[in-house]
Amino acid sequence: MTKTLKHLNAIVFDWAGTTVDHGSCAPAIVFQEIFRQRGVKVTAAQAREPMGMAKRAHIATVVAMPSVAKSWEEKYGSPCSDADIDAMYADFLPLQKKTLKDHSQLIPGVAEAIQECRALGLKIGSSTGYTHELMESVTAAAKEQGYEPDCLVCSEDAPAGRPAPYLLYEVSKQLEVYPLWSMIKVDDTPVGIEAGRNAGCWTVAITRTGNCVGLSEQEVEAISPAELQEKCQAAEERFHAAGAHIIIESVADIVEVVHEIEARMERGEMPV
């Protein structure tokens, strides 16, 4: 395949909310459920707040939220311990694996957009806060729908998850692509964008299909355009705060962004 871009070499996509599972619904459902099973109420917003982290770290972050910590101590008479977090994480994995079977649908336009990225000569990387075991059914379903990245890096492949840059360092190694400013990181969570910035990549944030809006495709169709716009604008504010270079609604729009970043690099701009 002839490479048509002078500066960019690879693009790295997140999974839930970015390429599959419109609204990143699967993990949010399970995070709420593992707390519900323990008699502690966690709202959807609280469950989604740390999205993008490795899943045990995500649970620990939710537990540390003041209202959740208070509810836990009222229920059990003592703060949530590391052993409690380990137990919730152990429950999370099989429940998440079961839930993913129904949340592995490609987001509309993703397969076609990524094919166009390949046609430009870009290598296609992927990273996730899921484990390799959890991703088995997701990658198989994505392949059947026309999406198979060149590499998959999961939570256990790095010493720390997002916002640390290590997952992207591992993607860089597996794709044999450097420097990291020749890579674009595409993510639907602020910590994913922060990880891209920390690694020195260009960063592209996803609003409408992702976790910050948090709506399935059916839910998006059911609300008014004004309400959807309000939710997308709120997501944009979070991504601006995280340092996203470019913000779009869906990966379906990524090819135009690739050309925009390439043009900016041709003018001498860097992802600082």
Side-chain angles (χ1 to χ4, degrees):
M1 181 182 296
T2 302
K3 188 174 184 294
T4 61
L5 303 172
K6 180 180 178 182
H7 303 285
L8 292 170
N9 294 312
I11 186 164
V12 185
F13 295 97
D14 180 51
W15 283 84
T18 299
T19 53
V20 300
D21 187 13
H22 196 297
S24 193
C25 296
I29 291 169
V30 178
F31 283 123
Q32 284 188 279
E33 176 61 17
I34 60 173
F35 280 94
R36 188 200 65 78
Q37 290 175 356
R38 286 160 174 80
V40 176
K41 180 176 175 57
V42 168
T43 67
Q46 289 171 326
R48 288 183 177 279
E49 181 66 27
M51 203 71 78
M53 292 182 172
K55 303 315 176 190
R56 188 193 181 282
H58 185 131
I59 295 167
T61 301
V62 173
V63 163
M65 294 175 179
S67 63
V68 178
K70 180 181 178 182
S71 296
W72 186 281
E73 193 155 357
E74 288 175 350
K75 174 72 176 178
Y76 293 102
S78 61
C80 184
S81 67
D82 284 344
D84 293 323
I85 295 171
D86 288 339
M88 282 191 283
Y89 181 59
D91 289 348
F92 170 88
L93 291 172
L95 184 57
Q96 184 69 93
K97 189 172 183 178
K98 180 180 179 181
T99 304
L100 285 173
K101 295 177 181 179
D102 298 321
H103 292 85
S104 296
Q105 183 68 33
L106 277 188
I107 292 168
V110 164
E112 295 81 2
I114 293 177
Q115 287 174 0
E116 290 186 58
C117 289
R118 285 194 189 279
L120 293 172
L122 289 174
K123 294 182 178 181
I124 308 298
S126 72
S127 63
T128 179
Y130 288 147
T131 64
H132 279 283
E133 180 181 0
L134 290 176
M135 285 301 295
E136 287 177 0
S137 63
V138 179
T139 53
K143 184 176 180 179
E144 291 178 356
Q145 297 169 76
Y147 172 47
E148 184 177 18
D150 298 321
C151 77
L152 167 65
V153 176
C154 296
S155 60
E156 66 265 47
D157 295 327
R162 296 168 282 196
Y166 305 125
L167 289 172
L168 288 165
Y169 292 166
E170 185 61 29
V171 170
S172 173
K173 288 167 53 181
Q174 292 191 22
L175 294 182
E176 297 184 9
V177 168
Y178 67 91
L180 270 77
W181 48 252
S182 71
M183 288 173 38
I184 300 172
K185 177 65 174 81
V186 186
D187 207 289
D188 67 300
T189 65
V191 293
I193 295 301
E194 290 170 14
R197 292 297 303 256
N198 290 336
C201 298
W202 289 93
T203 56
V204 177
I206 303 298
T207 59
R208 176 173 51 83
T209 74
N211 176 70
C212 287
V213 170
L215 299 177
S216 68
E217 191 175 357
Q218 293 75 22
E219 289 170 332
V220 165
E221 293 172 353
I223 67 173
S224 69
E227 185 178 356
L228 178 59
Q229 183 180 14
E230 182 180 346
K231 289 180 178 295
C232 287
Q233 287 177 342
E236 285 186 24
E237 291 176 7
R238 293 187 64 189
F239 285 126
H240 280 304
H245 294 103
I246 297 176
I247 301 172
I248 57 178
E249 290 192 355
S250 169
V251 168
D253 305 319
I254 196 65
V255 176
E256 182 178 347
V257 171
V258 169
H259 287 299
E260 178 182 343
I261 293 175
E262 180 74 9
R264 289 169 64 172
M265 295 181 75
E266 187 66 22
R267 296 193 297 268
E269 294 185 37
M270 296 292 287
V272 295

